[in-house]
Amino acid sequence: MRSTVMYGAGDVRVENLPDPKLEQPTDALVRVVRACVCGSDLHPYHSMPAAEQGTQMGHEFIGVVEEVGSEVSLISRGDFVIAPFAYFDNTCEFCREGLTTSCEHGGFFSTAQSEAVRVPLADGTLVKAPVGDDSALLPSLLTLSDVLITGHHAAVMGQVGPGTSVTVIGDGAVGLLAVLAAKRLGAEQIVLMGRHQARTNLGREFGATDVVAERGEEGIAKVLELTGGKGTRAVLECVGYMNAYEMAIGTVRSGGIISRVGVPQYEEAPIGMGSLFGRNVRLAGGPGAQRSYIEELLPDVLEGRIEPGKVFDRTVALDATPEGYTAMDERTALKVLVRP
Amino acid sequence: MRSTVMYGAGDVRVENLPDPKLEQPTDALVRVVRACVCGSDLHPYHSMPAAEQGTQMGHEFIGVVEEVGSEVSLISRGDFVIAPFAYFDNTCEFCREGLTTSCEHGGFFSTAQSEAVRVPLADGTLVKAPVGDDSALLPSLLTLSDVLITGHHAAVMGQVGPGTSVTVIGDGAVGLLAVLAAKRLGAEQIVLMGRHQARTNLGREFGATDVVAERGEEGIAKVLELTGGKGTRAVLECVGYMNAYEMAIGTVRSGGIISRVGVPQYEEAPIGMGSLFGRNVRLAGGPGAQRSYIEELLPDVLEGRIEPGKVFDRTVALDATPEGYTAMDERTALKVLVRP
C-alpha cells in the first residue's frame, strides 16, 4: 500500500509499504477513506533528525472495515468507522472512567496517512457511523478523529458550561474547534486569540464573540479590557508553546482554569505564587481521545447542527501528502485533508 | 501592646508597640485570646535579611471584639470571633463565589502574634463563635483561622469525596488536618507521607489508613505499592518544596488532581508531557481562607465531632513567642499556641 513516511525535518515521502495484516484476534483492518495532517505533525516536521529508516505518519482517519479478527464482535466488514487518535480496550479501569488515553492496554495511532491501517483493540476503539464512503459529511466526521474531540476536551476540562467566559488561545484547527465546543456547551463570552483573519473569521462563525489579534502583554491587556479587568473563567490553550501558556496565565480569572490541549513544547513552566498558586488558578488538560466524546458529538455532526469540517481548507491525494505538510507549515492551509 | 516582631532570619523579639486603633468605619479591634506560629512563618525565619526596621508577625488568631467602627453591623463589642488568615468584604464578585482570598478589597493579616489586632472589613471577615474566652475548645477553634481551613481547602480542591483515594504529603499541622479533612469528606484510603512518628500517629488518629515514612523515589514506590501501582486520585501537597511536588507527580493517579496548599518555594516546575499533560493530571490549590469553610467546619468543632486542636503540642506566653519559633524550627514542637 501507499503510505506517508518522514525521514527527517522537512523530508516527507509517500512510499510503497507492505499491506498491514491482522496480528491479534482483537485487530481490525480499515481501508482509509480520509486522513489528514495534524498541527502536531509539524513538530517532527521541524525537528526530526535525518534518518535512513523512515517513520510512518498520521493519527487521524475514518474508513471502512475490510477484515476483523476472530475476537472482534462489535465491528464487521463493511462498517464505516471513526478512529480516535488513540486505541484502547474500553474495558479497563481508566477506560471505564472515560480516560481512554490512559488505557492499560492502549496506544496511539501513527500510520494513518496511508491506504490502510491495522486497528488494535477494534471493539474498544472504533465507533461506527451510518454513512457511505462518499458522504458529504466526511470532513466533519474526520474531525471526530482528533481536532474536534481535542477542542471539546479542552472545553470539558476547562469546565465550560452555560454562561462561562472563555478565552481560546490559538487559531489553528483545534483552537477554532475549541471555540465551537465552548459555544456548544453554552459559553457566553468567547474571546479568540489569533491573528490570521481568515481563521478568526471562521472562529466567529463557530461562536467567538471577540477576536484579539495581539499577542504577549498587548494581547493580555486586550483580553483584560474585554473582561472587566478580570480575565475569563476558562482559558483553552490550544497551541503548546511557552508564550501561549504565558498568555493563559495573563488572561485567566482568579480561581479559573487553564485547560491545555496543545502538546507542550516545554516541560518546566511557572506554577508558583506569582502565576497559579496565589490566585487559586487551576491547570488541566492533556490528550483527549475519549470515546465518549465521539459518541456525544456524532449525532450533532450527522444531523448538521455543527459543521466542524469547515476547518479543512485544502484536500490533497495521498501521494501529495508532502505538499500538505508544506502548506500547513507555511500557513497557506489551515488543515489539509488527505484522500487516499 | 506587646507584639512579635522579626528583624531577620532567626531574630524574633516581642516588643511594646502602639495599640492598634480603628482607622476605617468598617474596622474592628480584637483582643487576641489565642494566636499561634505557622509553618509558613518559618520561611522568613530562615531567610529574612537582617533589617533595622522589624516586621510584625502572625496571621492566625481568635479573640474578643473590643470596639467596632460605625459601619460595622454584624459584629459587636464582646463577641468571640474567629479570624481567617485573610480579610475580605464578603460582598465582591470573588467573595460571593467563595474565593475570599481574591477579594477585590482584601488582604492578609500580618500582626496576629500580638495582644490586639485591627481587623479591616470586620463584617465580612470575622465569624462569631458562641464560646467564652476560657473555652476548652480554643485550640480547635484557632485551627479554623488557618491550618484546618487550609487542609480542608486542599481536600476540596482535590475533589475529595466519598470513596476517594488520597495521598497527603507532609506531616506538619496542615498535612495532618488535610488528613482529617479528607476523612471527614469521605475518603476511603488516605496515605500519609511523613517520617516523624509522633506526628504520623496523630495522622492515623485523624484518619490516615497508611503511613509512608520514605521520601523521594522510595516513597513514591511505597505509595504505588499501596495503590495497585496506580497512585491516588487526589494528592494533597502540604509542604511547598520542590521535592514534595515531585512526590506528588509520582503518586498521583492518571486523570487525578494534585492539590497544593503548601506555599510553593519555587516558581517553575515540571508540567509538560512527562509530568502532568501526558496523563491528564490536574493541578489545583492556593491560599484557602474561605469564610464558607469556617462556617461549614465550626459546628463540627463546637459539637466535638472533630478535634483539630490536637495539632498544638506546646503553649507559650506571648513574650515567649521566639521560643515557639525555635521549637517549630527544630521540630521539637509540631505547632505552637501563643497565649497573650
Side-chain angles (χ1 to χ4, degrees):
Chain A
M1 67 164 181
R2 304 290 287 168
S3 186
T4 305
V5 183
M6 190 181 286
Y7 283 85
D11 184 1
V12 179
R13 310 176 200 172
V14 179
E15 301 183 336
N16 288 320
L17 290 182
D19 288 342
K21 290 185 186 344
L22 297 181
E23 293 176 13
Q24 301 291 332
T26 48
D27 286 352
L29 287 183
V30 173
R31 171 174 63 83
V32 175
V33 171
R34 294 289 185 277
C36 52
V37 181
C38 185
S40 67
D41 293 333
L42 297 181
H43 295 313
Y45 188 74
H46 291 146
S47 64
M48 183 187 282
E52 283 193 25
Q53 178 68 37
T55 302
Q56 278 182 277
M57 296 297 297
H59 52 265
E60 301 157 284
F61 66 105
I62 51 179
V64 174
V65 176
E66 297 222 307
E67 199 179 343
V68 297
S70 59
E71 292 177 18
V72 174
S73 61
L74 303 176
I75 296 289
S76 311
R77 181 182 164 83
D79 284 344
F80 187 97
V81 289
I82 298 158
F85 62 87
Y87 57 86
F88 36 77
D89 60 23
N90 205 31
T91 58
C92 80
E93 184 178 327
F94 292 102
C95 283
R96 286 197 309 271
E97 290 168 18
L99 192 59
T100 43
T101 52
S102 289
C103 174
E104 297 183 81
H105 308 102
F108 294 92
F109 286 107
S110 58
T111 66
Q113 291 159 6
S114 302
E115 286 181 296
V117 174
R118 179 178 76 86
V119 176
L121 303 168
D123 273 347
T125 304
L126 296 171
V127 178
K128 286 190 275 192
V131 298
D133 63 5
D134 58 350
S135 165
L137 293 174
L138 294 183
S140 285
L141 292 168
L142 181 56
T143 66
L144 289 167
S145 184
D146 184 349
V147 281
L148 177 56
I149 56 176
T150 294
H152 181 69
H153 186 57
V156 170
M157 291 291 106
Q159 295 182 11
V160 174
T164 310
S165 59
V166 181
T167 300
V168 175
I169 298 178
D171 58 9
V174 171
L176 298 180
L177 293 176
V179 169
L180 181 152
K183 171 74 175 174
R184 181 178 167 281
L185 291 169
E188 191 171 280
Q189 182 179 28
I190 304 175
V191 183
L192 173 60
M193 299 189 80
R195 57 194 179 133
H196 298 81
Q197 208 178 344
R199 300 180 181 193
T200 56
N201 284 348
L202 183 54
R204 284 190 192 274
E205 194 181 326
F206 283 158
T209 53
D210 305 278
V211 169
V212 170
E214 291 81 358
R215 305 209 286 184
E217 289 303 321
E218 214 182 334
I220 291 169
K222 282 273 181 184
V223 174
L224 292 179
E225 201 177 292
L226 288 165
T227 56
K230 297 191 175 73
T232 55
R233 283 173 198 276
V235 177
L236 314 185
E237 197 285 83
C238 304
V239 178
Y241 289 115
M242 180 57 87
N243 59 359
Y245 178 71
E246 288 166 347
M247 286 196 285
I249 289 172
T251 55
V252 69
R253 192 173 182 278
S254 294
I257 303 181
I258 297 172
S259 177
R260 296 179 298 162
V261 292
V263 179
Q265 301 303 300
Y266 53 83
E267 186 58 39
E268 302 224 335
I271 63 168
M273 185 60 90
S275 44
L276 305 187
F277 188 89
R279 298 194 298 134
N280 273 282
V281 170
R282 288 164 285 169
L283 186 61
Q290 274 77 334
R291 184 188 171 98
S292 59
Y293 293 165
I294 302 180
E295 291 167 341
E296 176 182 341
L297 292 157
L298 179 57
D300 280 7
V301 170
L302 291 174
E303 290 156 32
R305 283 189 293 272
I306 56 175
E307 292 186 81
K310 287 185 174 178
V311 295
F312 291 106
D313 56 354
R314 180 158 329 169
T315 299
V316 297
L318 178 57
D319 277 347
T321 305
E323 294 163 31
Y325 276 78
T326 306
M328 281 181 59
D329 184 44
E330 293 174 350
R331 293 178 164 268
T332 57
L334 167 55
K335 178 97 177 155
V336 173
L337 193 141
V338 174
R339 188 163 47 195
Chain B
M1 66 163 182
R2 303 290 286 167
S3 186
T4 305
V5 183
M6 190 180 286
Y7 283 85
D11 185 0
V12 180
R13 311 176 199 171
V14 179
E15 300 183 337
N16 289 319
L17 290 182
D19 287 343
K21 291 185 186 341
L22 295 180
E23 294 176 12
Q24 301 290 331
T26 49
D27 286 353
L29 288 183
V30 174
R31 171 174 63 84
V32 175
V33 171
R34 294 289 185 277
C36 51
V37 182
C38 185
S40 68
D41 292 333
L42 297 181
H43 295 313
Y45 188 74
H46 291 148
S47 64
M48 185 188 280
E52 283 192 27
Q53 177 68 37
T55 302
Q56 277 182 276
M57 295 298 296
H59 53 266
E60 302 158 283
F61 66 106
I62 52 179
V64 173
V65 176
E66 298 222 308
E67 199 181 342
V68 298
S70 60
E71 292 178 18
V72 174
S73 61
L74 303 175
I75 296 288
S76 311
R77 182 181 164 82
D79 285 344
F80 187 97
V81 290
I82 299 159
F85 63 87
Y87 57 86
F88 36 77
D89 60 22
N90 205 30
T91 58
C92 79
E93 184 179 329
F94 291 101
C95 285
R96 287 199 308 272
E97 291 169 15
L99 192 59
T100 43
T101 53
S102 289
C103 174
E104 297 182 82
H105 308 103
F108 294 92
F109 286 107
S110 58
T111 66
Q113 291 159 6
S114 302
E115 287 182 295
V117 174
R118 180 179 75 86
V119 176
L121 304 168
D123 272 348
T125 304
L126 297 171
V127 178
K128 285 191 275 192
V131 298
D133 63 5
D134 58 351
S135 166
L137 294 174
L138 294 183
S140 285
L141 292 168
L142 181 56
T143 66
L144 290 168
S145 186
D146 184 349
V147 281
L148 177 56
I149 57 176
T150 294
H152 181 69
H153 186 56
V156 170
M157 290 292 106
Q159 295 182 11
V160 174
T164 309
S165 59
V166 180
T167 300
V168 175
I169 298 179
D171 58 9
V174 171
L176 298 180
L177 293 176
V179 168
L180 183 152
K183 171 75 176 175
R184 182 179 167 280
L185 291 169
E188 190 171 281
Q189 182 178 27
I190 303 175
V191 183
L192 173 59
M193 300 189 80
R195 58 197 179 131
H196 297 81
Q197 207 177 346
R199 301 180 180 193
T200 56
N201 285 348
L202 183 55
R204 283 188 192 274
E205 194 181 325
F206 283 159
T209 54
D210 305 277
V211 169
V212 170
E214 292 82 357
R215 307 208 287 184
E217 288 303 323
E218 214 183 332
I220 292 169
K222 283 272 181 183
V223 175
L224 293 179
E225 202 177 290
L226 289 164
T227 55
K230 298 191 174 73
T232 55
R233 284 173 197 276
V235 177
L236 314 185
E237 198 283 84
C238 304
V239 179
Y241 289 115
M242 180 57 88
N243 59 0
Y245 178 71
E246 288 166 347
M247 285 196 286
I249 290 173
T251 55
V252 70
R253 190 173 182 280
S254 294
I257 302 181
I258 296 171
S259 176
R260 296 179 299 163
V261 292
V263 178
Q265 301 303 302
Y266 53 82
E267 187 57 40
E268 302 224 335
I271 63 168
M273 185 59 91
S275 45
L276 304 186
F277 188 90
R279 299 194 299 135
N280 274 280
V281 169
R282 288 164 284 170
L283 186 61
Q290 274 79 334
R291 183 186 171 97
S292 59
Y293 294 165
I294 302 180
E295 292 167 341
E296 176 182 341
L297 292 158
L298 179 57
D300 281 7
V301 170
L302 291 173
E303 291 157 31
R305 284 189 293 272
I306 55 176
E307 292 185 80
K310 288 187 174 176
V311 295
F312 292 106
D313 56 354
R314 182 162 322 174
T315 299
V316 298
L318 178 57
D319 276 348
T321 306
E323 294 164 30
Y325 276 78
T326 306
M328 280 180 60
D329 184 42
E330 293 174 348
R331 293 179 164 266
T332 57
L334 167 55
K335 178 97 177 155
V336 173
L337 193 140
V338 174
R339 188 163 47 193

